[in-house]
Amino acid sequence: MNANNVRLIDVTLRDAHQCLWATRMTTGMMKSMAPALDNAGFEAIDLVGGAVFDVCVRYLREDPWERMRILSDWIVKTPLIIHTRGQSLFTFEFFPDDVVALSAERFAANGMRYHTPYDALNDIRNLEIPITEAKRHGLTVVPGIVFTESPVHTDEYYVKKTKEVMARGVEGIFLKDPSGLLRPERARTLVQSMKAVMGDMPLQLHSHCLSGLAPYTALCAVEAGVEVLHSATSPLANGASHPSTQVLVNNLRRMGHNIDIDLNNINEVSEIIKFIAAKEDKPLGKIAEYNEFHFHHQVAGGMISNLEYQLSTVGLADRLDDILQEAGNVRADLGYPIVVSPFAQYIITQSVLNVVAMDNGKERFSNVPNEVRLYVRGGYGEIAGEIDPNLYDRITKGVEPITQRPGELVPPALEKTRNRLGASARDDDVLLAVFYDNKEYDALKAAGPIDTEYPIMETPLKTLIKGITSNHDVTSFHFIDRNNSLEISK
């Protein structure tokens, strides 16, 4: 073993609560954590992306652009990460090039310094504009290549994709393992293969704990050459989230690696998270048990829970395993799309339709959603595997495949939106109006500025007093210690 310097990227403020708290960590909750995370020694801190932007708008009614500005004032030493789905940004649909370009400008203007775009099909054409525009505005750009298991996603496949990304002139690459499928033995061969062509360019690993393997796989990946790991503060680690920062640091140090992380700061954040979880009745991460079936269907645990509920409402609760079995079969039929949004949703929808069709004596794929038709034609990008020609014709009804870069097919949107909002509209608002309909946009604007206050103070006593004094039903209270009894009136 060769000891080396290992760096960490923190995902507590984005992916961790996205996985375990349904993305419901507010900006106010982050305030007391920010200084400790900033001083902990991370390479970068993941803040906005994935579902976070969307949940901020639709459910928290917090302007995500404002969240970026606020956190960039609180966290000044460590670069903040904006994480996007490439040409799709924060949604499942493709946006025109002018929208993607302006978004990169606004990321930088609102304090983001590090961009990690990825494409769900690993079609690097869908990263062309996000990478070029982020670099233009001075962001560090580290694109993701998404990992999955299939007969076509070989080490050679990933080497090819690595070379395509490197050709874009980026600062690094992260290997994104959204379903926790990377096994220790595969990590060794895959990392060595990618590093053989990357040379000194840093390779990062972003792996979820859905199979329970990620904490050990991360150690194996470091031994094979990974320089940067993504991790979560321990109460928000494991389960569908990421390996624990504390456990990774201790294990790596015991293995002889150098890792410049201050665990005192991380432990401080842990206590804050536990306080918030108890107050808000939020779950803490639990270690996931290994399940071989997971590697067949590859569907994330949170999505399975939602599916189970939805099936119960239509009398199909007892068919969950049949549908997950069919999901693996559908994926193979469709050329092995990676089971990450939006294709996870498309695969599950098609699997339910197939199971219901077979129950009624019909053929599989007798009912196909438009999104699946578009995918099969190449409307989302290149397909890794082969689709049987007869199945292709049945699904597409003989329509010719799409070979252009998908973003080229989407007409520009900024001018039309600016005309609708008026000449005085800010760029941030123009983009929000592109992303959302009038109802969501107006509701967000009506909510006003983000409330950055949350009842956490420097000490438990101050937190208690703040909580009591903010309760209008309490007119006075007693504070008693060993030597004194004091009545305080509000």
Side-chain angles (χ1 to χ4, degrees):
M1 180 199 77
N2 294 319
N4 58 0
N5 296 317
V6 181
R7 303 185 300 282
L8 296 186
I9 284 177
D10 176 74
V11 301
T12 305
L13 302 185
R14 187 191 71 81
D15 213 3
H17 71 90
Q18 180 174 315
C19 293
L20 299 179
W21 288 3
T23 328
R24 295 309 194 271
M25 184 182 286
T26 66
T27 301
M29 292 176 186
M30 298 175 182
K31 186 174 185 178
S32 57
M33 303 181 209
L37 290 173
D38 195 18
N39 290 311
F42 290 107
E43 168 164 318
I45 294 173
D46 199 7
L47 180 64
V48 174
V52 169
F53 196 101
D54 196 54
V55 169
C56 277
V57 173
R58 295 182 188 276
Y59 302 104
L60 301 180
R61 299 305 186 199
E62 292 189 357
D63 186 332
W65 302 113
E66 186 184 0
R67 175 177 287 194
M68 295 179 203
R69 294 192 294 274
I70 290 170
L71 267 294
S72 65
D73 284 339
W74 292 345
I75 295 176
V76 296
K77 298 178 182 177
T78 314
L80 292 173
I81 293 176
I82 180 75
H83 178 68
T84 67
R85 295 169 177 148
Q87 194 82 22
S88 299
L89 295 172
F90 311 108
T91 71
F92 296 165
E93 62 179 292
F94 282 109
F95 288 103
D97 292 346
D98 63 341
V99 170
V100 177
L102 181 60
S103 296
E105 178 185 323
R106 300 314 301 163
F107 298 155
N110 285 295
M112 300 296 99
R113 293 157 54 194
Y114 203 117
H115 189 203
T116 56
Y118 75 96
D119 179 67
L121 291 179
N122 289 330
D123 188 335
I124 309 307
R125 296 176 303 168
N126 292 331
L127 300 182
E128 177 182 322
I129 303 300
I131 291 173
T132 300
E133 293 302 321
K135 288 173 59 181
R136 186 194 311 277
H137 296 288
L139 278 73
T140 296
V141 183
V142 180
I145 300 175
V146 189
F147 177 78
T148 189
E149 273 197 354
S150 85
V152 298
H153 289 90
T154 61
D155 287 1
E156 292 74 20
Y157 166 90
Y158 283 102
V159 167
K160 176 177 177 288
K161 292 299 172 182
T162 299
K163 291 178 180 177
E164 291 177 13
V165 173
M166 290 176 67
R168 301 291 177 185
V170 299
E171 282 84 0
I173 293 173
F174 78 97
L175 186 61
K176 181 180 176 69
D177 179 21
S179 295
L181 301 171
L182 185 62
R183 306 175 197 251
E185 58 274 17
R186 179 69 188 280
R188 294 186 181 98
T189 65
L190 178 56
V191 169
Q192 289 172 357
S193 298
M194 293 176 70
K195 285 300 295 178
V197 297
M198 291 177 68
D200 293 334
M201 180 181 286
L203 176 60
Q204 304 180 5
L205 177 61
H206 172 105
S207 185
H208 291 252
C209 296
L210 286 159
S211 67
L213 296 177
Y216 179 58
T217 297
L219 303 180
C220 296
V222 167
E223 297 286 85
V226 159
E227 292 97 340
V228 184
L229 297 173
H230 295 206
S231 64
T233 307
S234 61
L236 283 178
N238 295 305
S241 183
H242 294 256
S244 157
T245 297
Q246 293 95 315
V247 173
L248 275 180
V249 168
N250 288 328
N251 282 333
L252 288 166
R253 286 175 175 165
R254 186 168 291 276
M255 294 166 65
H257 297 289
N258 303 315
I259 181 162
D260 190 16
I261 293 290
D262 183 347
L263 288 183
N264 290 327
N265 281 300
I266 304 304
N267 292 333
E268 179 184 331
V269 176
S270 293
E271 293 305 311
I272 295 169
I273 291 171
K274 285 188 280 190
F275 174 87
I276 294 172
K279 185 177 185 299
E280 304 288 341
D281 195 25
K282 301 290 188 186
L284 301 179
K286 296 179 181 179
I287 295 175
E289 294 185 353
Y290 180 85
N291 182 354
E292 184 63 26
F293 190 33
H294 175 67
F295 289 82
H296 172 75
H297 59 72
Q298 303 187 6
V299 179
M303 188 173 179
I304 291 176
S305 299
N306 292 335
L307 175 63
E308 197 166 14
Y309 170 75
Q310 291 164 357
L311 292 175
S312 69
T313 65
V314 292
L316 293 173
D318 60 335
R319 307 303 301 280
L320 177 63
D321 281 356
D322 294 334
I323 289 166
L324 291 176
Q325 179 66 38
E326 176 64 6
N329 300 336
V330 166
R331 179 170 176 259
D333 291 333
L334 297 182
Y336 297 101
I338 300 171
V339 187
V340 64
S341 297
F343 304 109
Q345 289 82 353
Y346 301 164
I347 290 168
I348 285 296
T349 300
Q350 187 63 64
S351 300
V352 172
L353 293 173
N354 284 0
V355 167
V356 171
M358 290 186 287
D359 286 348
N360 288 281
K362 297 180 180 178
E363 287 188 318
R364 298 169 66 243
F365 295 101
S366 57
N367 187 1
V368 178
N370 289 333
E371 293 82 358
V372 174
R373 296 186 197 279
L374 182 61
Y375 158 79
V376 168
R377 292 184 59 212
Y380 294 98
E382 71 177 20
I383 297 172
E386 299 292 330
I387 298 177
D388 179 86
N390 292 326
L391 180 60
Y392 177 92
D393 288 342
R394 189 193 319 168
I395 290 175
T396 66
K397 299 180 180 178
V399 177
E400 288 296 311
I402 297 169
T403 58
Q404 290 174 268
R405 178 176 66 87
E408 295 175 359
L409 303 176
V410 188
L414 291 180
E415 183 178 358
K416 179 180 178 181
T417 306
R418 288 189 197 280
N419 290 338
R420 177 163 60 87
L421 293 181
S424 62
R426 300 181 309 143
D427 286 342
D428 292 349
D429 290 339
V430 170
L431 288 170
L432 287 171
V434 171
F435 300 152
Y436 299 99
D437 60 25
N438 290 341
K439 176 184 175 183
E440 299 294 347
Y441 178 88
D442 292 343
L444 177 66
K445 289 302 168 183
I450 292 176
D451 182 2
T452 60
E453 294 303 313
Y454 192 83
I456 297 179
M457 305 297 284
E458 294 88 349
T459 67
L461 176 58
K462 288 184 178 180
T463 300
L464 175 63
I465 292 173
K466 182 175 182 180
I468 292 172
T469 56
S470 64
N471 188 332
H472 299 296
D473 295 329
V474 177
T475 57
S476 65
F477 63 93
H478 279 83
F479 168 69
I480 302 173
D481 64 19
R482 292 180 180 176
N483 302 312
N484 302 289
S485 176
L486 176 67
E487 179 172 339
I488 302 176
S489 298
K490 294 174 60 177

